[in-house]
Amino acid sequence: MSEPLPPVRGLVAAKYEVVRLIGRGGMGSVWEGRHESLGTRVAIKFIDAEHADNDEARARFVTEARAAATIQSKHAIQIFDHGLTGDGRPYIVMELLAGEALDKRIERLGAISLAETARIVQQVCRALQRAHDAGIIHRDLKPENVFLVQSPDDDDEIAKVLDFGIAKIKPPPGSEGLTSSTRTGAVLGTPYYMSPEQARGLRDLDHRTDLWSLGVIAYKCVTGVLPFDGESVGDLLVKICTAPLPRAAAIAPGLPPAFDIWFARALERDVPRRFATATELAVALAAAAGLPSSRGPTSTPMGDGTPVSVAARSLAPTLPGAAVTSAPITASTTARKPSRSTLAAFAAAAVVGGTLGVTAVVKLAATGKPPPPALAAPNVQPSPSTPTPTPTPTPTSTPQLPAPAPTPARTSAPAPHSPPPKPSSPPHPTSRPISPADPGY
């Protein structure tokens, strides 16, 4: 069998050589290309000649290029170029992927573990969250449009969302209509994965139609079968809109009940009761699978620009015992500075203790009896590590008692000293942290 002829002659965009056919779709074909000077490999998508003059096909082509280029996530197909060939045929230059489509993975294995399904859905949701934030609704999510790519840097796989050809793009502020080819009553997408509102051909779809599709994808992954089927498209669409939801655990008994709870919410026919965002759906599925939702779709450290705090806040209410912190917990080797209230308490104790001691000694001197041991240092326990105090008292120094008066004359206690100035450095001479067990605490 002879090799198919390339759809164009010469270079595409004056720099890409068409090498070989990769695959064909309903209205076009995808070819491997090579950058003429850099030698890098790319994928080039063309509209078939018979559809090249079809306005709807051309509009979808433009939509696909614009939507994927807008998202800019490592979990969505990367677009490098877009334009028209010399004979007026539209093309898209995108990254060339090496790996396996999700539908092929399910077909090969029969089913995928819940943990692996949750990992794939988390990555798909990162791309979807970026798309939804940009006003883009995919509308054709299915296993065929999720590609599992082997990362060149490590052994981990990366899930990528493909084919935004029938995406609905929110128009810029001030403009009317939708930048898509949707008409009221038109049913676009793959019926098995459609939400009820999409199956009914409603025009005012929002991003939650994609969340229904993700629920069906996850169900297919863990059970190997679809939740709804029918003898005809009409029969199938009726079941999507009215039939009771099946229980995944009835097909795969090893699944936890938490998955059926998650699935019931993902496929909630009352749209406001469905998951509100792709991030929320992903976090809930990770919890059902018993996995930590380490990154949310969120998040620049995840590669997608969502602040880490957003992911943490979305995770905390879902996983019991989760603590939200902005920094790792580490042991500190620096002594804690005493608070102003602690310093004031130390100073007051020192002054009062000194005053009481002086009064007691003077009274005892008048009687000629030695001071009892209990009055030698009232309310203060000497610490072996406490250095000899300087003439200027500090809040933590042990007050020193004055020598007994040389004369037996009774003298009144001296006026209390005013509190010493606050030290500029921690009063403890050691570098260990203060604890309630320390004598000077």
Side-chain angles (χ1 to χ4, degrees), residues 34-104:
R34 183 171 54 242
H35 193 284
E36 183 188 27
S37 60
L38 299 178
T40 53
R41 301 165 64 203
V42 297
I44 309 176
K45 187 173 184 178
F46 297 94
I47 291 182
D48 288 338
E50 56 269 29
H51 300 292
D53 295 330
N54 184 302
D55 291 339
E56 183 175 353
R58 294 171 74 97
R60 289 184 183 179
F61 216 68
V62 173
T63 296
E64 179 178 2
R66 285 183 55 198
T70 299
I71 297 172
Q72 293 185 352
S73 167
K74 73 176 183 179
H75 297 295
I77 187 73
Q78 300 295 298
I79 303 299
F80 299 143
D81 205 348
H82 168 253
L84 301 174
T85 61
D87 58 357
R89 182 181 299 190
Y91 67 86
I92 300 174
V93 181
M94 61 189 79
E95 63 177 324
L96 181 65
L97 303 178
E100 184 179 30
L102 181 56
D103 65 315
K104 300 299 183 185

Side-chain angles (χ1 to χ4, degrees), residues 201-400:
L202 300 183
R203 186 178 177 87
D204 57 344
L205 297 176
D206 68 13
H207 64 281
R208 287 170 290 190
T209 188
D210 286 344
L211 305 187
W212 171 290
S213 301
L214 268 180
V216 178
I217 291 173
Y219 186 96
K220 177 71 180 290
C221 285
V222 298
T223 65
V225 299
L226 289 162
F228 303 109
D229 203 349
E231 296 180 1
S232 65
V233 174
D235 184 35
L236 171 63
L237 298 184
V238 169
K239 289 183 178 179
I240 289 173
C241 295
T242 62
L245 295 181
R247 290 181 60 252
I251 300 173
L255 291 174
F259 177 80
D260 281 323
I261 297 174
W262 175 89
F263 178 68
R265 188 174 177 192
L267 268 66
E268 175 60 61
R269 292 186 173 100
D270 184 6
V271 177
R273 298 177 61 183
R274 206 174 292 168
F275 288 110
T277 65
T279 298
E280 183 185 10
L281 179 145
V283 169
L285 182 57
L291 299 178
S293 180
S294 57
R295 297 189 294 184
T298 87
S299 167
T300 303
M302 300 187 297
D304 287 347
T306 307
V308 174
S309 58
V310 174
R313 285 195 296 270
S314 66
L315 173 61
T318 305
L319 298 181
V324 180
T325 178
S326 59
I329 301 175
T330 57
S332 173
T333 58
T334 304
R336 181 183 62 184
K337 278 192 175 183
S339 63
R340 291 187 177 182
S341 60
T342 304
L343 293 176
F346 286 160
V351 172
V352 173
T355 302
L356 294 176
V358 170
T359 303
V361 171
V362 170
K363 288 182 178 181
L364 290 172
T367 62
K369 296 180 180 180
L375 298 178
N379 299 329
V380 179
Q381 296 297 326
S383 172
S385 61
T386 305
T388 303
T390 60
T392 302
T394 60
T396 56
S397 300
T398 304
Q400 299 297 316

